[in-house]
Amino acid sequence: MTLRPEEALPAVERLAHLREALAVLAVALAGVHGRLAWFLGAATTALTPVLHWRALPNDHGATFGAVLPTPEQYTDAEEAIRRLHETLTHITTA
């Protein structure tokens, strides 16, 4: 099994990239309507668990309900972003 480049990154960077992708989706959603808005809204909803993840251990202090995701959860979310990117690229070039 081949590792993807993001799997070599520290958890903090992986989580930052996922949250950045979610932010881009939210901004894009604000500027569209119709079927594309429905599609982007569904994608945003599917990725909202990323907002409840934390990358750092709970050494001291509150985590406010944030949880450490498993490596599989990171990989699944990153794969979802890749597929979304491929789908949007296909839509815009078709």
Side-chain angles (χ1 to χ4, degrees):
M1 182 174 176
T2 305
L3 288 178
R4 300 236 184 221
E6 61 271 7
E7 292 175 339
L9 296 173
V12 172
E13 288 186 42
R14 289 178 82 179
L15 184 55
H17 290 166
L18 290 168
R19 288 183 177 166
E20 189 175 299
L22 186 56
V24 168
L25 279 172
V27 170
L29 179 58
V32 298
H33 55 277
R35 290 181 179 164
L36 184 56
W38 175 87
F39 179 74
L40 293 178
T44 302
T45 300
L47 289 166
T48 57
V50 168
L51 298 175
H52 299 284
W53 293 354
R54 60 185 168 89
L56 302 175
N58 179 17
D59 292 337
H60 305 289
T63 61
F64 304 102
V67 297
L68 287 171
T70 65
E72 293 80 17
Q73 288 174 307
Y74 275 117
T75 302
D76 289 348
E78 290 160 347
E79 180 63 23
I81 295 295
R82 262 190 299 284
R83 288 182 181 201
L84 179 62
H85 181 263
E86 290 168 5
T87 301
L88 291 171
T89 299
H90 178 73
I91 290 170
T92 59
T93 59

